[in-house]
Amino acid sequence: MSFVDAVIAQVLELEVRLQHACARLASRTDGEALHDLRINLRKLRSLLRPIRRLDAPRELDAAAADVGRLTTPVRDLEVMIIELRRQGFTDQAERRARLLESRYSAIEGSATLVRFLSILDAWPGHMREAERAGELSRLRQRVKARLQRQLEGLREALAQPEFDRHALRLLVKRMRYAHEAYPRLSPLPAPAVASLKAVQSALGDWHDHFQWCLRAEQEADLLVLKDRWEVAGAAELAAAEVELSILAETLALDGQSPQDR
């Protein structure tokens, strides 16, 4: 199987998963449909990002990004409801749960989702046209070079103590997902994979609490939780800093020549 064949095969597999998630969302069979939709969107965009200088991947990536933006507030609401129930704040949780039905309906019937699925369906044919036109030559090498630049960008960010932690969280996520999308081309050293996941988890927990504190300033019924969210967020950021140090050390060591080690 050629490299182009392998990329198209992965996109076709993701299309099946995305269609399934959309069907589950429409029929309200379970509470994980939207989450699964977003997970598979993320995997799709991770495949497309290194090749989006080409027309067909760029168009599909942009359409997928639109769906991501459409669904982010609804997923944030789902996560908030889970947190409120975990904390025992049932009234606050149920008030927000009543909003979900209309939010789900807005996603299903949106032109954004319909357009994305249409572009996704036509994408393999467009890639084959690009292949016949010779536009996909050296695609494998392009992806490999892009992933190497991505890793270098992460190394540079980790070396700057003042680097914004919100921006660093995104760099970490993208590096991890790029590694998962192209494991054979990824320059990420094996010892760093577990560390990358630990950093993403810690920064993700901190980011959730940071966002909830912002929401508490705007929504009066959440204000009672702000103090505990601030305490939890501070602890998670401290844990993330430890994991970031480990990751930075692992990546710096990998970047050394054998005689420097």
Side-chain angles (χ1 to χ4, degrees):
M1 181 182 293
S2 72
F3 183 73
V4 175
D5 290 341
V7 172
I8 291 175
Q10 287 188 73
V11 171
L12 289 171
E13 182 179 343
L14 287 169
E15 181 179 11
V16 172
R17 295 179 184 177
L18 285 159
Q19 292 282 6
H20 185 233
C22 288
R24 288 161 52 208
L25 182 64
S27 60
R28 308 289 193 271
T29 56
D30 62 270
E32 291 297 310
L34 182 64
H35 185 43
D36 288 348
L37 173 64
R38 288 174 55 80
I39 286 173
N40 287 295
L41 272 178
R42 180 205 78 205
K43 290 180 178 179
L44 177 64
R45 296 198 67 203
S46 296
L47 274 171
L48 297 173
R49 187 170 283 112
I51 59 175
R52 64 183 177 184
R53 296 180 71 177
L54 300 167
D55 289 343
R58 183 167 59 251
E59 182 186 30
L60 181 55
D61 179 65
D66 288 341
V67 177
R69 283 188 288 272
L70 175 69
T71 57
T72 292
V74 186
R75 178 56 187 165
D76 288 347
L77 183 60
E78 287 183 336
V79 174
M80 173 65 79
I81 291 167
I82 293 169
E83 167 66 7
L84 290 171
R85 286 174 174 161
R86 186 183 71 82
Q87 294 279 4
F89 287 81
T90 306
D91 290 343
Q92 288 92 329
E94 294 313 306
R95 276 196 290 273
R96 287 161 177 79
R98 288 193 287 271
L99 297 174
L100 276 178
E101 177 59 34
S102 63
R103 303 290 173 84
Y104 290 150
S105 296
I107 292 171
E108 311 164 26
S110 69
T112 299
L113 183 60
V114 171
R115 177 175 177 272
F116 163 68
L117 293 173
S118 175
I119 293 172
L120 177 60
D121 185 58
W123 190 80
H126 292 160
M127 281 294 281
R128 291 303 184 195
E129 290 174 10
E131 185 179 32
R132 288 191 291 271
E135 297 174 13
L136 305 186
S137 61
R138 297 181 56 80
L139 189 62
R140 188 177 188 277
Q141 291 85 343
R142 290 185 198 178
V143 171
K144 189 173 182 178
R146 170 59 188 259
L147 297 184
Q148 184 62 50
R149 289 195 299 272
Q150 198 168 335
L151 179 58
E152 291 306 317
L154 177 58
R155 278 199 180 105
E156 291 174 9
L158 289 168
Q160 302 174 45
E162 72 283 1
F163 197 89
D164 180 75
R165 269 27 192 172
H166 294 285
L168 186 55
R169 183 180 70 89
L170 295 178
L171 291 179
V172 166
K173 284 176 64 175
R174 288 171 183 169
M175 188 71 249
R176 177 189 169 189
Y177 299 152
H179 173 80
E180 292 177 352
Y182 296 101
R184 294 185 179 181
L185 299 183
S186 172
L188 192 69
V193 176
S195 182
L196 202 66
K197 291 179 180 179
V199 168
Q200 183 184 343
S201 177
L203 284 177
D205 290 341
W206 162 72
H207 178 76
D208 283 345
H209 283 88
F210 179 86
Q211 293 296 324
W212 294 340
C213 288
L214 294 180
R215 292 279 293 276
E217 294 174 358
Q218 301 168 358
E219 301 173 29
D221 66 338
L222 299 179
L223 201 54
V224 66
L225 282 156
K226 186 181 178 185
D227 287 348
R228 70 177 71 179
W229 283 340
E230 286 180 340
V231 170
E236 287 154 358
L237 182 56
E241 294 296 342
V242 173
E243 297 295 346
L244 283 166
S245 297
I246 295 171
L247 177 61
E249 184 177 344
T250 303
L251 293 182
L253 182 63
D254 179 71
Q256 293 176 356
S257 61
Q259 59 266 33
D260 291 334
R261 296 181 183 176

